[in-house]
Amino acid sequence: MEKTPILSETFKIKGRDYEHGGEASSKIKSILKRLGIDPNIIKRVSICAYEAEMNIIIYAYEGTLTLMVYNDMIKLIAEDIGPGIPDIELAMKEGYSTAPPEAIELGFGAGMGLPNMKNNSDRMNIETEVNKGTKVIIEVDLKNER
Amino acid sequence: MKARKVAELIDGEILSGKDLLDNVEVKTAFAADLMSDVLAYVESEKNDVILITGITNPQIVRTAEMLDIPVIIVARGKKVPEETIKLAEEKGIIIIATKHIVFTTSGILYMNGIKPAKLRVRGEDTHSF
C-alpha cells in the first residue's frame, strides 16, 4: 500500500547543537519552495519541522529529520535516540515542559512544541520508548489548504 | 508602513537588510521573548508581521524565516550577536535594534497604525493515525 515518495531527503541532527538549530528546517523549506508547493502549506510544514528539529536538539542525543513529498501530501519523520517521553499525554499538554534552562534562554522549551505540531498537521503520530528514543510522524495534506 | 518608517519611529539602528527597507511593507506586530509562542500563535499569511523581541540569538531569525516574518525589532538596547545579523542578512530579514523597551516600542508602533498580528486558529481537526 505504501506509495513511493516523489522526493525523500534526510537530515542529521545532533543533540545540544543549538548553534545549528533550524538549519535542517531551513533546507526543508527551500526544497518545498523549489517544488512550488502552496505557501501556506510550506509554512505549516516548516513550523512542524522547526519544532521537531528543536525538540531533537533540546532533548535527544542525536536524530534525523526526514522530508518525504508525495503527490497528495507531505510527510515529516523526526526520529531520535534519546530519553523518550514517559507520558505522552502530559507532553501534549500546552505549557508542560521538561526543557533545560539553556533551551528556555533561546526562547524554546515552553511546552508548546508538540501541541503546535499537532495543530499544524493533518495527522500526527508519536512512538516513544523511555531511554531509547522517539519517533514523530507528521502528515500535511496538499489539497487541504487553510 | 514601510520598514524604513518603522525604524525611524523607534529611533532604530538597522543591523541587517538595509537594501530592503523601502520594499518591505508591514502592517501588524507580535511581541514575545518565547519563540515557541511566536511559532504557535502568529498567523503571518500576508508576510507583513513585525516580530518585537528582547532576545538576540539566531533562533529569532530562524523563527522569522519559518513564518515569513520580514522584520525583527530587538528592543531594550540589547547587543545583537554577529551570527544573528549574518543569518538575517543571508535570509533577507531586516533587524532593527532600538533602545526602547518592548512596551514603548509596541506603543509607538500601535499609535502609528500598526495592528496586532492575526492569531492562528488553533485547530482541533488534527487527529492521530
Side-chain angles (χ1 to χ4, degrees):
Chain A
M1 266 307 272
E2 188 75 349
K3 294 169 294 180
T4 323
I6 303 164
L7 182 151
S8 175
E9 198 149 346
T10 297
F11 302 90
K12 283 203 174 108
I13 296 158
K14 275 193 293 197
R16 304 290 185 271
D17 185 15
Y18 293 104
E19 198 191 323
H20 296 104
E23 263 179 24
S25 307
S26 179
K27 283 176 189 151
I28 286 174
K29 189 169 185 183
S30 319
I31 292 171
L32 296 176
K33 263 193 191 160
R34 212 169 56 224
L35 292 173
I37 308 278
D38 173 84
N40 279 317
I41 299 275
I42 294 182
K43 215 168 281 182
R44 287 171 57 201
V45 175
S46 303
I47 290 169
C48 290
Y50 189 38
E51 295 275 19
E53 184 176 357
M54 291 310 291
N55 272 349
I56 294 173
I57 291 171
I58 294 168
Y59 297 103
Y61 313 126
E62 58 175 341
T64 54
L65 188 60
T66 301
L67 167 74
M68 293 164 109
V69 181
Y70 296 87
N71 272 328
D72 58 348
M73 71 154 177
I74 294 166
K75 189 191 262 196
L76 279 178
I77 304 172
E79 200 167 8
D80 70 53
I81 299 167
I85 305 170
D87 186 339
I88 291 183
E89 210 177 304
L90 204 51
M92 285 302 296
K93 246 179 150 164
E94 282 186 12
Y96 178 82
S97 178
T98 58
E102 71 261 25
I104 292 160
E105 273 166 33
L106 292 177
F108 284 87
M112 300 298 283
L114 286 174
N116 196 26
M117 283 153 77
K118 194 174 166 79
N119 277 331
N120 278 288
S121 61
D122 289 299
R123 286 165 300 281
M124 177 164 113
N125 192 47
I126 305 173
E127 293 164 24
T128 184
E129 201 177 325
V130 172
N131 295 328
K132 286 247 166 91
T134 302
K135 183 179 182 180
V136 182
I137 304 173
I138 280 156
E139 293 180 1
V140 176
D141 291 332
L142 286 175
K143 55 185 184 300
N144 177 19
E145 291 170 22
R146 338 193 247 202
Chain B
M1 185 187 295
K2 291 270 187 276
R4 184 180 298 283
K5 175 84 176 161
V6 172
E8 283 168 13
L9 286 170
I10 57 171
D11 304 314
E13 185 195 345
I14 317 299
L15 302 183
S16 69
K18 282 195 175 74
D19 50 330
L20 303 168
L21 290 174
D22 294 312
N23 303 334
V24 170
E25 183 80 24
V26 284
K27 290 199 172 73
T28 68
F30 188 89
D33 281 359
L34 269 178
M35 294 304 110
S36 300
D37 275 0
V38 181
L39 289 164
Y41 286 97
V42 176
E43 173 64 83
S44 63
E45 56 191 352
K46 298 203 177 75
N47 307 342
D48 57 4
V49 182
I50 305 166
L51 168 62
I52 304 167
T53 189
I55 62 170
T56 60
N57 63 74
Q59 303 310 325
I60 61 175
V61 179
R62 289 295 184 199
T63 302
E65 180 193 0
M66 296 308 150
L67 292 170
D68 298 316
I69 289 175
V71 178
I72 302 170
I73 297 174
V74 176
R76 48 182 115 102
K78 289 257 184 130
K79 172 109 182 68
V80 181
E82 200 49 51
E83 70 247 40
T84 301
I85 297 171
K86 206 174 138 227
L87 186 62
E89 206 65 77
E90 204 178 289
K91 298 295 170 189
I93 293 169
I94 298 168
I95 298 183
I96 305 169
T98 178
K99 291 210 160 46
H100 294 301
I101 58 172
V102 169
F103 178 79
T104 313
T105 306
S106 304
I108 292 170
L109 296 181
Y110 190 85
M111 279 177 59
N112 282 279
I114 296 292
K115 300 282 181 236
K118 197 179 154 198
L119 301 188
R120 191 117 40 75
V121 181
R122 314 194 32 85
E124 285 171 4
D125 50 343
T126 303
H127 50 84
S128 299
F129 292 112

